[in-house]
């Protein structure tokens, strides 16, 4: 399962891709097949490099390439991990499209190129003309930091900025489209472009349903996976996509467009001193305040603008001191567990009209969840594995937006608005004979349930090893019967479990990895793939360190050689993470 907040909150549109035969052979460049075809002779090459964690920058890169092709350019769209630093100097015309991961970090597939670009041996780029499109989320302090860093570094290396960087918030379609429409003609200016021949095809490869037009699906199943006395509530959902024309691959994400809890809406309306029937302009039309809050705005997590306005109007010394100090950790501690209603109740002297309040809110965003089924086994349905967020804090009961929307509000008659986000890097190996190692504690098991179903449907011979864990085996061993059946039938070759609270000393998945480090390294040496899904801030970091330790110890490598070994795994797409 992905987090209810993600750095790239936006739709993913696909464009048909094809190899441009006979040109740039051996470079493995992704060429974009649009409604026309070009003769590459004398065409200006435009390189489009993307850094993408969940697929949105990749989608935009292919959209940009299609537009470039329509202008007679020869586009080459590549993931940043497909490029060596020395190649940058040869890219005379370059576009960078990157998201920012978490608090200012580079996406996984951009890390190695970024490190090389900051190294002492980075080449000068005086011959490069470039522009940057940055995706981000203003709810994070370091908004669009990855794009900002690339823009500054390319300039420092001597590259010429041909068009100013554009920074996009979560609703990035309009500014991204404007950037594409303005930067492509500049990249084509003065070029000996070639004619685009219309093939007559009307299919642009884009799905009928996307974020702007989600599919109204029906819920087929809502089943509790954890035991009733568990400290967690994890649920299994099955959602019908029959008749939609939609399809998905194991490893993709399903995006769910939720509505807010009616009780929370009512309490916020009361705290504002409103009735809820006030008509307010939303998206160009008048809408009752209660309906606007239920369907259009993020009312759970307070925006930075709302926090700052409450601090200003209340004059509260503590909150103002935290904001003025700029210490994001202390401010985060202060806001931990608090939602928008908590702040309104905490500062009742702050009076906001309905219009003023709405102006301080963010749009309600979809939530993306890793799919836990294979379409080869379930072509007309998609499965999710979701932990319901429920907690008590500041004298109130709190609920997650989308997790409890699915758990509490959706029934068999409801329309669940959905669309898919492909994750082309996070895939079952194309070679069915290669081993897979999967590390997915908690709801991180979701894509690996899909991977194992996929392997079974393909009659794959490759070995499969799952590391799974949670708090307690008796209450939190989700999908236990399925997993044990996969073991019995041989689809799951190895299973190592880590239930942290079943013994005095806590045991985690990274501990199990180290216990079997020699065999894990042997699987990697056999061409094995290493996948991780789950918490990015602790688990994924600990697993990454354990992987380095195992490779260094059992490969008898130096620290430098260990880092190179892991980097090669990443380049070969054999070490891939879906973390949040």
């Amino acid at each position: 399962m992905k987090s209810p907040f993600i750095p790239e909150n936006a739709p993913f549109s696909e464009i048909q891709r094809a190899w441009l035969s006979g040109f740039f052979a051996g470079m493995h460049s992704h060429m974009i097949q649009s409604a026309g075809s070009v003769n590459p002779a004398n065409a200006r090459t435009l390189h489009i490099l993307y850094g993408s964690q969940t697929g949105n920058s990749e989608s935009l890169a292919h959209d940009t390439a299609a537009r470039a092709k329509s202008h007679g350019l020869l586009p080459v769209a590549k993931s940043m991990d497909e490029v060596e630093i020395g190649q940058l100097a040869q890219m005379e015309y370059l576009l960078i499209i990157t998201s920012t991961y978490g608090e200012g970090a580079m996406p996984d597939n951009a890390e190695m190129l970024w490190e090389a670009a900051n190294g002492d041996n980075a080449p000068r780029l005086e011959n490069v003309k470039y522009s940057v499109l940055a995706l981000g989320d203003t709810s994070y302090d370091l908004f669009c930091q990855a794009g900002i860093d690339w823009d500054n570094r390319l300039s420092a290396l001597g590259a010429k900025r041909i068009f100013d960087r554009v920074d996009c918030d979560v609703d990035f379609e309009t500014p991204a489209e404007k950037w594409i429409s303005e930067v492509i003609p500049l990249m084509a200016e003065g070029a000996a472009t070639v004619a685009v021949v219309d093939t007559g095809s009307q299919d642009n490869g884009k799905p009928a349903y996307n974020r702007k037009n989600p599919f109204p699906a029906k819920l087929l199943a809502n089943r509790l996976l954890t035991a009733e006395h568990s400290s967690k509530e994890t649920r299994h959902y099955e959602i019908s996509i029959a008749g939609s024309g939609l399809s998905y691959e194991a490893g993709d994400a399903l995006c769910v467009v939720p509505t807010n809890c009616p009780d929370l809406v009512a309490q916020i309306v009361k705290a504002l001193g409103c009735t809820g029937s006030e008509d307010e302009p939303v998206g160009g039309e008048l809408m009752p305040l209660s309906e606007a809050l239920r369907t259009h705005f993020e009312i759970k997590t307070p925006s930075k603008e709302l926090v700052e306005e409450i601090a200003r109007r209340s004059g509260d010394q503590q909150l103002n001191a935290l904001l003025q100090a700029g210490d994001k950790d202390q401010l985060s501690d202060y806001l931990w567990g608090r939602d928008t209603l908590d702040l309104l109740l905490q500062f009742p002297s702050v009076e906001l009209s309905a219009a003023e309040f709405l102006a301080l809110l963010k749009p309600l965003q979809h939530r993306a969840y890793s799919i836990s089924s294979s379409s080869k086994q379930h072509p007309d349905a998609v499965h999710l594995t979701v932990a319901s967020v429920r907690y008590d804090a500041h004298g109130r009961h709190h609920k997650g937006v989308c997790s409890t929307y699915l758990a509490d509000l959706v029934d068999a008659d409801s329309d669940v608005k959905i669309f898919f986000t492909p994750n082309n890097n996070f895939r079952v190996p194309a070679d069915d004979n290669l081993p897979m190692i999967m590390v997915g504690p908690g709801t991180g098991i979701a894509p690996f349930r899909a991977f194992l179903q996929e392997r079974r449907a393909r009659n794959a011979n490759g070995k499969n090893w799952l590391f799974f864990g949670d708090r307690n085996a008796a209450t939190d061993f989700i999908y236990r019967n399925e997993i044990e059946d996969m073991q019995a039938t041989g689809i799951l070759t190895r299973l190592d479990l880590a239930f942290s609270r079943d013994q005095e000393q806590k045991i985690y998945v990274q501990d199990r990895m180290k216990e079997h480090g020699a065999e894990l390294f042997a699987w990697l040496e056999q061409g094995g793939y290493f996948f991780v899904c789950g918490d990015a801030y602790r688990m994924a970091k600990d697993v990454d360190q354990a992987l380095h330790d195992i490779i260094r110890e059992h490969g008898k490598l130096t620290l430098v050689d260990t880092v190179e070994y892991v980097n090669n795994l990443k380049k070969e797409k054999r070490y891939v993470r879906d973390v949040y």
Side-chain angles (χ1 to χ4, degrees), residues 207-247:
Y209 295 105
N210 49 42
R211 182 177 179 275
K212 294 300 184 184
N213 181 37
F215 175 64
K218 296 298 183 184
L219 184 66
L220 301 174
N222 172 356
R223 185 173 78 248
L224 184 64
L225 292 173
T226 45
E228 290 187 8
H229 54 289
S230 170
S231 59
K232 293 184 172 184
E233 178 189 311
T234 303
R235 292 185 170 273
H236 172 83
Y237 299 98
E238 299 179 11
I239 298 171
S240 174
I241 57 171
S244 67
L246 293 170
S247 62

Side-chain angles (χ1 to χ4, degrees), residues 264-275 340-352 357:
L264 180 59
V265 169
Q267 292 178 70
I268 287 177
V269 168
K270 181 180 178 182
L272 290 171
C274 296
T275 66
T340 297
L341 178 59
D342 287 324
L343 290 177
L344 294 176
L345 295 176
Q346 185 176 348
F347 300 102
S349 63
V350 173
E351 295 184 359
L352 294 166
F357 182 65

Side-chain angles (χ1 to χ4, degrees), residues 164-434:
D164 286 344
R165 185 188 74 251
V166 170
D167 296 338
C168 303
D169 203 350
V170 289
D171 287 327
F172 67 58
E173 295 94 337
T174 300
E177 169 59 29
K178 188 173 186 294
W179 177 81
I180 293 171
S181 65
E182 293 181 356
V183 78
I184 292 300
L186 292 175
M187 289 290 174
E189 195 171 80
T193 58
V194 295
V196 178
V197 180
D198 189 358
T199 63
S201 171
Q202 300 300 310
D203 180 14
N204 64 4
K206 292 182 179 290
Y209 295 105
N210 49 42
R211 182 177 179 275
K212 294 300 184 184
N213 181 37
F215 175 64
K218 296 298 183 184
L219 184 66
L220 301 174
N222 172 356
R223 185 173 78 248
L224 184 64
L225 292 173
T226 45
E228 290 187 8
H229 54 289
S230 170
S231 59
K232 293 184 172 184
E233 178 189 311
T234 303
R235 292 185 170 273
H236 172 83
Y237 299 98
E238 299 179 11
I239 298 171
S240 174
I241 57 171
S244 67
L246 293 170
S247 62
Y248 66 93
E249 297 289 336
D252 288 345
L254 182 75
C255 297
V256 179
V257 183
T259 58
N260 285 309
C261 173
D263 290 340
L264 180 59
V265 169
Q267 292 178 70
I268 287 177
V269 168
K270 181 180 178 182
L272 290 171
C274 296
T275 66
S277 61
E278 295 85 354
D279 283 333
E280 298 296 335
V282 178
E285 62 176 294
L286 289 177
M287 183 179 299
L289 174 62
S290 290
E291 181 64 13
L293 292 176
R294 190 180 71 86
T295 61
H296 282 70
F297 292 97
E298 179 63 63
I299 62 173
K300 177 64 179 171
T301 303
S303 69
K304 289 193 297 185
E305 292 79 5
L306 178 63
V307 174
E308 290 169 353
E309 187 65 14
I310 287 177
R312 186 182 71 81
R313 294 196 183 197
S314 69
D316 182 75
Q317 292 185 351
Q318 181 185 11
L319 185 53
N320 277 283
L322 288 171
L323 290 170
Q324 291 166 10
D327 189 326
K328 64 179 183 180
D329 291 332
Q330 285 192 10
L331 181 61
S332 178
D333 290 342
Y334 176 85
L335 293 173
W336 182 257
R338 282 184 169 90
D339 64 9
T340 297
L341 178 59
D342 287 324
L343 290 177
L344 294 176
L345 295 176
Q346 185 176 348
F347 300 102
S349 63
V350 173
E351 295 184 359
L352 294 166
S353 69
E356 288 174 327
F357 182 65
L358 292 182
L360 294 168
L361 301 182
K362 294 283 189 182
L364 180 62
Q365 295 297 322
H366 65 263
R367 270 59 172 175
Y369 296 100
S370 299
I371 293 168
S372 55
S373 57
S374 165
S375 60
K376 290 181 173 59
Q377 185 170 325
H378 302 280
D380 292 327
V382 56
H383 298 182
L384 299 180
T385 307
V386 181
S388 303
V389 177
R390 306 181 195 272
Y391 63 94
D392 293 317
H394 308 290
R396 293 179 44 237
H397 183 64
H398 294 67
K399 299 190 293 185
V401 177
C402 196
S403 64
T404 59
Y405 161 73
L406 289 170
D408 303 341
L409 300 179
V410 175
D411 57 28
D413 296 324
S414 305
D415 283 341
V416 183
K417 295 179 180 180
I418 63 165
F419 61 96
F420 290 103
T421 299
N423 189 348
N424 293 316
N425 286 333
F426 204 78
R427 289 281 187 262
V428 172
D431 187 339
D432 286 338
N433 295 309
L434 291 177

